Amino acid sequence: MNEERRNPDVLLERVCADETSRGRLKVYLGMAAGSGKTYAMLSDAIVEKKRGVDVVAGYIEPHGRLETENLARGLESLPIRRVSHKGIEIGEFDLGGALMRRPRILLIDELAHTNAPGSRHQKRWQDVEECLSQGINIYTTVNVQHVESLSDLVQKITGVQITEVVPDHVIRKAEEIELIDITPEELTQRIKEGKVYLREKAETALNHFFRPGNLMALRELVLRLTADRVDEQLKTFRRQHEVREIWPARPRVLVCVSPNFLSERVVRSASRLAGSLQTELVAVSVDRSTAHLPAEMTEGDPQTSLDLAERLGARIIRRTSVDVVTEVLRLAREQNANIIVVGKPIRSRIRDYFCGSVVDELIRQSGELDVYVITDKAKDSFIPLLISPGKVTRHGTLKAVALVSVATGVCALAEQVLDISNLVMIYLLAVTWAAARWGRFESVIAAILAVLAFDFFFVPPRWTFAVSDVQYVVTFLVMLVIGLLISTLTARVRAQAELVARKERRTAALYDLSKLLARAATEEQIAKIIFDQSKVIFGLDAALFVLTPQGDLRPANETPSGFEKEVNEMAVAQWVSDRNAPAGAGTMTLAGARGYYVPLPGHGEKGIVLGIAKGKLSWDAEQRSIFEAFSSQVASTLERVYAEAAATQQELEVERERVRNVLLSSVSHDFRTPLTTITGTIDTLLSREPSATPESKELLMLVKMEADNLSRMVRNVLDLTKLESGQLKLNVEWEALEEVIGAALRRTQSQLGARKIVVDLDPELPLIKVDAALLLQVFVNLFENVSRHAPKSTTVNIVGKVSHGTLTLTVTDDGPGLPQGSEARVFEKAFRGRGDTEGFGLGLTICSAVMRAHGGGIEARNVESGGAQFILTLPVPEQQPEVSYVA
Amino acid sequence: MSPKPTALIVDDEQAIRKLLRTSLADTHDVIEACSGEEGVRLAATHNPSIVLLDLGLPGIDGIEVIKRLREFSSVPIIVLSAREQDGDKVLALDTGANDYLTKPFSVAELQARLRVALRAPVSTTANAILEFGEVKVDVASRHVSRQGKVIHLTPIEFNLLLLLLRHSDKVLTHKQVLTEVWGAAYAGQTQYLRVFMRNLRHKLEADPAQPKFFLTETGVGYRFRSGR
């Protein structure tokens, strides 16, 4: 099948690109300081300003470059925010001021800058993001060494440590990138002339970062980055215009993030690879229980690498499993990845041989998947792993000494009966016991002590460490290795048991949470459960921030620490609620807060926020994933509670409406019955009594006329009551205006009598979605109005047209017109027209209410020739219903 | 003179019953019931030729009465309704009532409806030539002409016209027309009716905005007025 298919990703991309509310980002990209980015940016800004665009310089780095400063003076500048940090006053970009000033274009220099502590965001690029999200267009500058995925390359080339980086996605999302190219020679020249740095500094600069070799390499990097982008744009263009091509689902790149020193490099390489393949990057971290490994082996939390991956635009998946290889391969297939990038520290062959290597195993099992391995020399060796002592405690040492002493005692007693080689068994028993009961450190110490004690006390020559028979050396070695192996294996078993136990605890905690939440019926109850369970699971205070009916955020519960009531914390929560993004402690936004805040999907536009007082505490993967599960359970419970509340409210309203309808229809019934009887009786009398005198006939006619009036008034009062109750549900259907007018004319036929009606409706009049019965009433009321106020010789013109999605209908008579100055008041309740002795004057009020209920309107005026004109407008549905002309 | 037809009046209001009895006395034998249950019983025992039924009855309501009557009788039922909602009328008609009148109604109107209700449906199966106003319809050859000029109708338009003619002067609900002409799957598609009725009027009426024949019963359906 070669049918046309539009890749949903392509459409989504285009939709995202079309998003107009977001500001546009233009990046001036240079290879190094002094390449002229700021100058170019300012020049462009001045051109824009001359064209009348509202341009403001948000922050221009004061490098003391004369030409640049002269240019900047030509622009309005935002005041600099002064921050004092450790006694030094620092000037910072004022985000709040910028958002308040809201220029069309805002200039912010040095995208990679790190804000002074206490700022809203840690990084300037986050400030820029926020401005963009508020619809402000941004011009900014950045050097290639600050592009996150390239920073390690630059570091390798130049040997300079780079700390300030901008995530690639920020730059990738820029609408425009302007490359500021300069030859290394020219840049060197400019530095020599002191245009970039002061003279003394220039010399050092030229000998370090600005070495010609470095500059050439940097230039290549920046050119390549720009070329890649042009390529990407070309591909995007082609994708948007060649929809006929079949697009295969693009396989993704999967990167394994493991806790080792290589992982950041691995992540960066994988990101570059995914970028050049134009595909998505998935970062996977499989947490093995590492409790049995010494701290220096695990090299910390993979979280920093995962954070990096996230900043580089990767999707993050965390799993816990003992079998890393199977898990990674399963994920790769699940995620449709055909390339796996993994890091492998190069270790000694012996170590690989004995311990095996995850990467080797991965390659062996990878099958059709490509595995890219990134390597570097590891600092560790095989031996430390075996004897690495685990958690060192004095207590543990004492226990090990005591244990070995006891074993030695037992050996001394058993020496009479047992062979010396069997004494070794007793020592090994002790080591095993230490490993099983206490832990790795104790068992390692015990193993070493056991060898020493055995040598000292039992191996001839006794009471000395010397050994007469060389064979015993073998015994010692084997004894030591077996002891260490036992301790390693036991520790691993114990670690796995711990892993299982931890999982179980987590499951139990979440189970408890869901059990409790299932019973919660109000925000307050949920908040209380959150607080209690957070204490149990995390040992931290947690608060729920909910919205008041006015849309403000307020804490739903009180915590003993009271963090939720602090002004600063409330402000962070408000920010999270407004922006629908997490912030606070442990994040890059408002990191100074005591609490960590995540948005929960709530009702309406603003989110509900869950805050947890975390302080400086950092979480491991386990706690993170529990917190995620925790917050998602809370979110779904809130959703349920809100849905229930809405349903109850709706039930109430339905009931209220039912009562109202019963009342109205019974009132209506009670009025109509006598009226029917009266008019019917007169009808009958008039037809039955030919003998009646003309006087009595006239009297009967009068009674009938008044009964008709009464019946109309009753109808109007009831209609208005319904309309004004606000409970009226429009029963809309597709209707033809022509039919409604026709029906109204027929109903008012007797009242209109001889008055001439000319209906001129555009033949192309579309169908409209209206409540026909109500609209009919509008026309009936209008025509009745004509019949009461215009003489019998009147001609009524009804003209209907459509323009700009609005249907306009004018009803014009050539009668006496409306009383001067009362054109707007005729729709008011109880307004009486000239000579309008009958009726409440409710008819036109009803017309107005009905038209408004349909999203339209009605106006009245006098035409120049003197008659009254009513102008009715109705919105025309954007789409007409489908009607097929073949049955 | 043939015996007068029997009219059964079901209404809980004594005044209305009295009025109806008096106005119908010349043309009908009148029997009265003041509740739905009694109405159904009388209908079963007296076999009336027409039933005038109030929708807002105490006890079992009008709709229920129609349902029960339709279990054993095809007697024409005219619903008298004081209720505001068109929905009740439509429900009554779709349940099996033949026509409706909204209170307050005029006696002349009531008598006209009674005559129509008692009339046999117009036969459109025979090789009849039907006429209204300036329009002639040849059922067999499916030819339609107005003022002697041939008017082209699409098959659907013709079927619609035929249905309306067959039920001359009787109200047809949207659902009934849609089901008959387009099929049950279209029962809710009122836009079809708007479009095709408009076409019919423009082809066959002198002033489509003030139709003489193809009348709209707003919120309920359509009625073809034969003028007979």
Side-chain angles (χ1 to χ4, degrees), chain A residues 387-414:
Chain A
I387 60 161
S388 55
K391 209 166 163 193
V392 180
T393 58
R394 182 175 299 170
H395 191 58
T397 319
L398 287 177
K399 278 200 281 190
V401 169
L403 182 70
V404 173
S405 307
V406 171
T408 308
V410 172
C411 285
L413 290 176

Side-chain angles (χ1 to χ4, degrees), chain A residues 831-844:
Chain A
F831 175 81
R832 275 172 193 232
R834 182 168 31 210
D836 195 359
T837 49
E838 50 193 35
F840 275 101
L842 287 181
L844 292 177

Side-chain angles (χ1 to χ4, degrees), chain B:
Chain B
M1 198 177 154
S2 57
K4 287 192 274 186
T6 310
L8 168 62
I9 297 165
V10 188
D11 199 320
D12 57 319
E13 295 288 337
Q14 206 199 352
I16 301 276
R17 287 205 307 274
K18 234 180 215 166
L19 165 72
L20 290 174
R21 187 175 54 213
T22 322
S23 13
L24 298 182
D26 288 350
T27 47
H28 294 77
D29 287 330
V30 178
I31 49 175
E32 292 170 32
C34 57
S35 73
E37 287 90 342
E38 196 188 355
V40 176
R41 206 173 54 240
L42 287 180
T45 51
H46 287 72
N47 195 20
S49 1
I50 190 147
V51 176
L52 291 171
L53 172 68
D54 183 32
L55 269 190
L57 290 170
I60 62 167
D61 72 357
I63 304 288
E64 185 58 33
V65 174
I66 298 171
K67 274 188 204 155
R68 295 199 189 170
L69 284 179
R70 282 288 170 256
E71 280 168 15
F72 62 86
S73 164
S74 58
V75 59
I77 302 172
I78 295 179
V79 164
L80 306 175
S81 110
R83 290 206 186 164
E84 298 298 309
Q85 285 91 352
D86 291 325
D88 292 319
K89 286 183 252 170
V90 177
L91 185 58
L93 291 169
D94 283 336
T95 310
N98 297 62
D99 211 333
Y100 73 92
L101 275 171
T102 309
K103 291 177 187 174
F105 48 84
S106 81
V107 174
E109 185 69 27
L110 170 67
Q111 286 185 329
R113 296 290 170 85
L114 283 174
R115 276 197 303 279
V116 170
L118 287 169
R119 204 162 66 193
V122 178
S123 166
T124 54
T125 47
N127 291 343
I129 299 213
L130 305 169
E131 283 187 53
F132 56 93
E134 300 161 325
V135 180
K136 267 189 192 147
V137 182
D138 183 337
V139 179
S141 67
R142 296 173 81 93
H143 274 166
V144 180
S145 65
R146 183 172 154 220
Q147 293 174 316
K149 270 183 251 162
V150 173
I151 303 282
H152 174 74
L153 293 188
T154 66
I156 293 180
E157 285 166 3
F158 189 83
N159 290 346
L160 182 58
L161 175 65
L162 223 54
L163 177 73
L164 289 164
L165 289 177
R166 196 157 58 231
H167 298 277
S168 281
D169 300 303
K170 292 175 185 167
V171 67
L172 288 168
T173 63
H174 295 140
K175 192 173 150 194
Q176 287 166 348
V177 179
L178 284 164
T179 313
E180 282 285 319
V181 178
W182 280 272
Y186 289 82
Q189 311 284 313
T190 47
Q191 70 268 26
Y192 277 78
L193 285 178
R194 309 294 176 221
V195 170
F196 283 91
M197 282 305 292
R198 186 191 123 92
N199 291 352
L200 267 190
R201 285 202 192 97
H202 279 255
K203 286 177 181 177
L204 304 177
E205 289 271 8
D207 182 354
Q210 299 181 68
K212 283 198 168 60
F213 306 105
F214 300 95
L215 306 185
T216 310
E217 297 282 336
T218 308
V220 178
Y222 293 95
R223 186 196 303 269
F224 177 82
R225 185 165 61 182
S226 68
R228 273 189 289 167

Side-chain angles (χ1 to χ4, degrees), chain A residues 184-240:
Chain A
E185 293 76 26
E186 201 183 331
L187 183 55
T188 316
Q189 187 60 37
R190 287 177 61 173
I191 294 171
K192 276 187 188 148
E193 285 167 10
K195 282 185 177 168
V196 180
Y197 295 108
L198 297 175
R199 281 212 185 264
E200 332 49 284
K201 249 181 121 185
E203 203 56 37
T204 349
L206 282 173
N207 289 329
H208 289 90
F209 192 81
F210 290 89
R211 280 197 305 266
N214 283 357
L215 290 181
M216 270 187 271
L218 285 173
R219 189 171 181 219
E220 190 190 337
L221 269 183
V222 70
L223 288 173
R224 245 175 35 199
L225 180 69
T226 321
D228 278 353
R229 184 175 154 90
V230 171
D231 192 44
E232 200 173 300
Q233 279 171 336
L234 181 67
K235 282 183 185 155
T236 311
F237 177 84
R238 295 230 308 248
R239 226 175 310 142
Q240 283 176 351

